[in-house]
Amino acid sequence: MNNVKVVAIPDKTRIIINYGYEDDKRNATLYAKEGQKIAVVSQGVTITDPDSNSKLGEYTPIKKKLEITDVFKRFSVARSVTSSKENTLSLAISPMLKNFNTKTFDYLPVNEEQILDIPENNGIISVGDMVVFLR
């Protein structure tokens, strides 16, 4: 399951990744499945512990979380899937009854001299972008 990438962009609602139902026959739990959650990520930055100087891993900013919707032998299609549980009758009566779930992030009081030089995530998905699998 190494080096899974975006290999094609058919339109504005789908991407194709180079991972299908035959990609890891050794472990039946690792092949691509419909409903599997993935994330398209930006180039990563190695994170190091300042005390031990040991490498802790790679921080790869997420461009977009997606779901595999179609699986083929050696590739899969992924889309941004949103599900709605609103009652259509209540929305017809008053659109203001719709619940909005938005996240905002407040600034933290950080030492600006210690901010890593990680490029801002522009969210643009491109062919060649790396893909990681989410739990």
Side-chain angles (χ1 to χ4, degrees), residues 74-111:
R74 304 219 21 235
F75 66 90
S76 297
V77 176
R79 300 173 192 236
S80 179
V81 178
T82 56
S83 58
S84 177
K85 294 182 180 177
E86 293 102 19
N87 180 335
T88 53
L89 178 60
S90 65
L91 285 176
I93 295 169
S94 174
M96 304 228 9
L97 294 177
K98 183 177 180 179
N99 292 329
F100 290 99
N101 293 330
T102 58
K103 290 183 182 179
T104 58
F105 302 102
D106 296 327
Y107 284 109
L108 300 172
V110 299
N111 181 340

Side-chain angles (χ1 to χ4, degrees), residues 18-129:
N18 60 341
Y19 193 69
Y21 64 77
E22 278 200 353
D23 274 304
D24 198 338
K25 292 181 181 178
R26 294 165 289 144
N27 187 339
T29 63
L30 293 180
Y31 62 88
K33 301 177 223 42
E34 283 187 28
Q36 198 168 21
K37 309 289 188 214
I38 66 168
V40 179
V41 297
S42 299
Q43 180 67 36
V45 175
T46 301
I47 303 300
T48 305
D49 184 301
D51 294 329
S52 67
N53 209 26
S54 62
K55 294 181 181 180
L56 302 176
E58 194 165 319
Y59 170 61
T60 52
I62 294 175
K63 289 185 175 186
K64 186 73 177 170
K65 291 180 183 180
L66 305 170
E67 183 177 313
I68 294 177
T69 58
D70 302 287
V71 179
F72 298 87
K73 186 175 183 177
R74 304 219 21 235
F75 66 90
S76 297
V77 176
R79 300 173 192 236
S80 179
V81 178
T82 56
S83 58
S84 177
K85 294 182 180 177
E86 293 102 19
N87 180 335
T88 53
L89 178 60
S90 65
L91 285 176
I93 295 169
S94 174
M96 304 228 9
L97 294 177
K98 183 177 180 179
N99 292 329
F100 290 99
N101 293 330
T102 58
K103 290 183 182 179
T104 58
F105 302 102
D106 296 327
Y107 284 109
L108 300 172
V110 299
N111 181 340
E112 292 188 25
E113 293 175 3
Q114 295 176 342
I115 293 176
L116 298 175
D117 188 22
I118 300 174
E120 188 173 334
N121 182 355
N122 65 8
I124 304 295
I125 297 172
S126 301
V127 170
D129 282 348

